[in-house]
Amino acid sequence: MYFEDIPCYTLFEEVQQSVTQTVLSACDTAEFLGSDIYGLKDIYDLYGTEYEDVIPAFISCRHEENDNGMRGTLFRFRLTEPLRRHILAESLTCMFGGEPPLLENLALFQGEKCLFSCVSHEVFSLYRMAEVDDGLKEAVLSAVNDTIKNMPLYGQMQKIAAGLQEKPKAELKKELRILHDLCWYVDEAVHYYFYMKPSQPCDFSKFRQIAKNYLTGETYSVLLPLNGFADLQPLPIPKTASEANSGREKFAPQYLQSEYYRQVERELGMLEYMIEATSR
């Protein structure tokens, strides 16, 4: 099972934590890659770092090239409490040691059976490459479902989901797509130098009308005093590739990285989780 198939995994830290705890509870050893180019070369090089408390857990190391063409040293550890704490603090798909990382590409084992693996430096396709053994699928999904239902947002979105039950599926799909495209409507309106074209045209008045039926009152209220999509991004943005390359620190990132858009995505993700659950 790939992580992209886990409901709401990319949206909520609570879900990531529940998955991490479930997988760790089934495993007894861990393996990390120290890249030949920039990674850890010797276990004792962890002294003086925040990870030195995992040195006593070290079992062995070997040098090899993996299926993704990365050459380096694979370090095997017992899954001790200090190592578990680091993984819980930084997630299953983490890299230890910043940029460049000392250790990456975590794999977790029960005996010699690999129950989890990832290629943690693959930022744009990470969750398609992070995989948990299908034998843990039921336990992982059960933990995720329990976590989601205990979140305060779940109760808020339940009321909204109930109000959408009679909406035709085609209309529901179309309006959800429009709301997900908020980041691109904003980038298009402010002339961000690079953006994806929204899936369909929608002016701000129509967007706000749709959003009223899908978002919580608090999140929707942000849209009420605005005159257009551009008002959601008042900060300076790069309008040419040259500006983006020469002065990133002076400009705001694409709107999809904004906290407001992330909140919209969390609410829509929770809503879609509920809609899918009721359609099974």
Side-chain angles (χ1 to χ4, degrees):
M1 177 176 65
Y2 291 102
F3 273 32
E4 69 170 351
D5 298 321
I6 298 176
C8 299
Y9 184 84
T10 61
L11 298 175
F12 299 104
E13 184 177 339
E14 297 94 328
V15 171
Q16 294 176 16
Q17 284 285 299
S18 71
V19 173
T20 300
Q21 290 169 340
T22 302
V23 175
L24 286 177
S25 68
C27 300
D28 55 19
T29 58
E31 197 169 77
F32 287 92
L33 173 73
S35 167
D36 273 352
I37 301 173
Y38 50 74
L40 187 71
K41 304 298 188 296
D42 187 294
I43 189 65
Y44 295 108
D45 290 340
L46 289 179
Y47 276 121
T49 74
E50 61 184 302
Y51 308 107
E52 67 179 11
D53 55 0
V54 307
I55 293 175
F58 174 67
I59 299 173
S60 63
C61 62
R62 67 187 189 279
H63 189 271
E64 67 175 45
E65 180 175 342
N66 65 18
D67 294 338
N68 298 292
M70 293 187 68
R71 293 182 59 83
T73 301
L74 291 171
F75 294 87
R76 180 70 72 98
F77 300 89
R78 293 186 305 278
L79 204 50
T80 57
E81 282 309 308
L83 182 51
R84 288 175 187 271
R85 284 197 298 272
H86 285 298
I87 296 172
L88 281 168
E90 303 186 43
S91 87
L92 287 173
T93 53
C94 67
M95 296 186 282
F96 286 178
E99 296 183 6
L102 293 169
L103 295 168
E104 59 188 315
N105 295 5
L106 172 63
L108 293 167
F109 299 81
Q110 174 58 253
E112 288 304 311
K113 182 178 182 179
C114 183
L115 297 183
F116 168 80
S117 64
C118 74
V119 184
S120 51
H121 70 280
E122 292 289 352
V123 176
F124 295 107
S125 57
L126 174 57
Y127 300 116
R128 296 175 187 168
M129 303 179 74
E131 185 175 12
V132 63
D133 185 85
D134 282 343
L136 291 178
K137 182 175 182 178
E138 186 175 335
V140 167
L141 292 180
S142 177
V144 168
N145 290 338
D146 289 345
T147 298
I148 291 174
K149 290 177 180 178
N150 283 323
M151 294 172 63
L153 182 59
Y154 184 84
Q156 293 177 280
M157 300 311 296
Q158 268 188 316
K159 300 174 184 177
I160 294 174
L164 297 171
Q165 287 181 345
E166 302 303 318
K167 190 177 284 287
K169 288 185 178 180
E171 184 180 355
L172 190 67
K173 182 178 179 180
K174 175 183 177 181
E175 292 183 340
L176 282 167
R177 183 65 266 162
I178 287 173
L179 296 176
H180 279 299
D181 280 353
L182 173 61
C183 57
W184 308 126
Y185 290 118
V186 172
D187 283 348
E188 182 179 43
V190 298
H191 305 294
Y192 198 93
Y193 84 100
F194 172 81
Y195 66 91
M196 288 184 62
K197 191 75 174 173
S199 58
Q200 51 196 298
C202 180
D203 62 33
F204 185 70
S205 177
K206 178 66 174 177
F207 183 93
R208 189 164 51 192
Q209 180 182 341
I210 294 170
K212 184 176 182 179
N213 297 319
Y214 289 83
L215 303 179
T216 63
E218 182 178 1
T219 302
Y220 172 70
S221 68
V222 172
L223 303 173
L224 289 177
L226 307 182
N227 295 314
F229 291 115
D231 290 344
L232 282 165
Q233 179 55 286
L235 300 174
I237 50 92
K239 296 186 178 182
T240 66
S242 176
E243 287 182 342
N245 292 330
S246 64
R248 290 183 182 275
E249 69 283 353
K250 296 186 297 185
F251 299 112
Q254 285 188 290
Y255 196 69
L256 63 83
Q257 298 181 46
S258 69
E259 180 53 38
Y260 182 73
Y261 180 70
R262 284 195 288 263
Q263 181 58 28
V264 169
E265 283 289 278
R266 285 190 283 264
E267 294 186 9
L268 296 179
M270 182 75 79
L271 190 59
E272 288 170 327
Y273 166 82
M274 293 176 175
I275 292 170
E276 184 176 345
T278 57
S279 66
R280 292 183 191 133

